[in-house]
Each structure stands twice: as structure tokens, then as C-alpha cells.
Amino acid sequence: KSKVRCRIEHIFGFMTGAMHGITIRNIGITRAWFNIGLTNLIYNFCRYEFLKRNYDFDPDVCEGVLGHHEWYNGEGYPLRRSGENISIYARIIKVADVYDAMTSKRPYHDALSPSDAVEYIMAMNESEFDPAIVDIFLKWVAVYPVGCEVELSDGRHAVVVKNYHDFLLRPKIRVMESGEEIDLLSDIDARHITILRLAV
């Protein structure tokens, strides 16, 4: 991973986290106003302005954070933009933010498995998410990281030993009970075997 890529990921991660962490107290809004109708749209703009005033980020990056709740089909907020009218940064952050939110424990829900989050993103491809960004995401985000234990559809447990960039749901595994290695991608006899979930 290049230093530039790491820096970009750090900036987007910080900006998105900062935006979600900005409270009504930070932006000078009274609790009463919030309770009587401060919508997500208005709140989003207030947080966006707060970031612009308090941090020295490039305007394109701020625009990306502002638009990361937009949907590719135009049904998101705050501006109901669609397709390439949404900042490329916002389209990237959108996928990363949803994946992070779904796989993290929150006060209102338990963490989902990486595979469940990926299945959601795949299901919402072209509606909520930019298909080009999803395609890149699916090639590089390991749903079942090397070394993790997984439960197979035939009831056995296995450890992931190798991932394939274009086929992250079909890794090479080592069955724990027997030590047998199975390549879920290329082994014809294993086509009926799927990974059900991470074994916790």
C-alpha cells in the first residue's frame, strides 16, 4: 500500500468520523430546535460548515464528506444528487462508511459479519452505491481474511489460507478436522461448498 493511498484513507477516515462525531452542541444548535424539526439534511449542512470553518481541508474533500449520504440513484441526502453528479470522494466514502458501520458494534445494533456487510453492498449496487466503486471494493476488501476461522455449508470448520482478489467469497481453505486444503475457487468437487459465516 502506497504512502499516498494510506494518507488518503487516513484523511477520509478522519473526516467522516469527525463529521459523525459533531454534535448539536458543537455547531451551536439548541436542543429545543433539534427536537422540533432539525432534519438530517439541515444537520448535515451544519456539520459540513463546521468542518470547513475549523479544519484546513481541500474543498473537494469537504464536498466528499458532505455528500457521503447521497445514493447513486438520487434517493439520498442532502442534495439528492445521483450518478456522477455525486463527488467521487463521496461515492468512495459511502461504500467505506456503510461497510464500517455495519461491521462495527453500535449502541443500536450488534456488529454484522464482513460477509453480511458485503452481501448488503452487493444487493444495493447501482441503487445506493456506484457500481464502479463497489467493483473495486470487492476486489480488495477481504471478506474472510487469511487466518480467520469459518463455518462451511457442510458443517465443517476451516481456516482461510489464501484469498483471490476477484473472488473474495471463494478463498482457499484448510479444513480444521482433517487438515485437507480445498480451493473453493478452482476445485470442481467443492463447488457445492460455501462459507456460511465467520466462526466466532
Side-chain angles (χ1 to χ4, degrees):
K1 184 186 289 185
S2 70
K3 290 183 179 179
V4 172
R5 183 178 168 192
C6 286
R7 179 60 178 160
I8 290 172
E9 290 177 351
H10 172 75
I11 290 172
F12 285 157
F14 172 77
M15 290 287 286
T16 304
M19 190 166 185
H20 280 287
I22 295 171
T23 66
I24 58 175
R25 180 173 52 82
N26 294 136
I27 54 182
I29 296 172
T30 67
R31 174 67 64 178
W33 184 24
F34 184 80
N35 287 340
I36 64 172
L38 180 61
T39 65
N40 280 334
L41 186 151
I42 297 172
Y43 194 19
N44 219 41
F45 274 115
C46 290
R47 292 185 295 185
Y48 167 67
E49 290 298 329
F50 178 86
L51 288 179
K52 286 207 311 181
R53 288 196 309 267
N54 292 278
Y55 297 94
D56 185 26
F57 287 110
D58 186 282
D60 287 340
V61 176
C62 292
E63 184 73 18
V65 174
L66 173 66
H68 81 280
H69 285 295
E70 300 285 4
W71 281 38
Y72 194 70
N73 64 5
E75 294 182 3
Y77 67 89
L79 299 172
R80 297 187 68 81
R81 290 176 177 164
S82 63
E84 294 190 0
N85 291 319
I86 305 169
S87 158
I88 182 63
Y89 297 147
R91 284 178 273 151
I92 292 170
I93 295 173
K94 173 73 173 179
V95 175
D97 184 50
V98 168
Y99 180 81
D100 178 67
M102 294 184 74
T103 57
S104 302
K105 182 175 177 57
R106 300 292 172 89
Y108 46 87
H109 71 71
D110 290 330
L112 296 179
S113 69
S115 58
D116 285 339
V118 165
E119 286 184 15
Y120 173 82
I121 290 171
M122 292 170 65
M124 299 302 288
N125 194 16
E126 296 187 34
S127 56
E128 186 172 354
F129 308 105
D130 180 343
I133 303 302
V134 171
D135 183 57
I136 295 171
F137 175 83
L138 293 177
K139 288 180 178 178
W140 289 99
V141 174
V143 181
Y144 304 110
V146 170
C148 74
E149 182 183 343
V150 294
E151 181 181 342
L152 305 178
S153 56
D154 61 8
R156 294 181 293 175
H157 283 213
V159 174
V160 175
V161 297
K162 181 179 180 180
N163 274 299
Y164 300 101
H165 285 318
D166 293 319
F167 302 94
L168 292 173
L169 296 177
R170 305 294 293 175
K172 186 176 184 179
I173 59 174
R174 181 182 300 112
V175 179
M176 297 180 69
E177 291 86 348
S178 65
E180 174 191 8
E181 289 197 354
I182 302 174
D183 193 323
L184 295 178
L185 177 62
S186 62
D187 189 339
I188 295 176
D189 295 331
R191 293 291 169 86
H192 67 286
I193 300 174
T194 59
I195 296 176
L196 294 182
R197 61 184 65 86
L198 287 169
V200 180

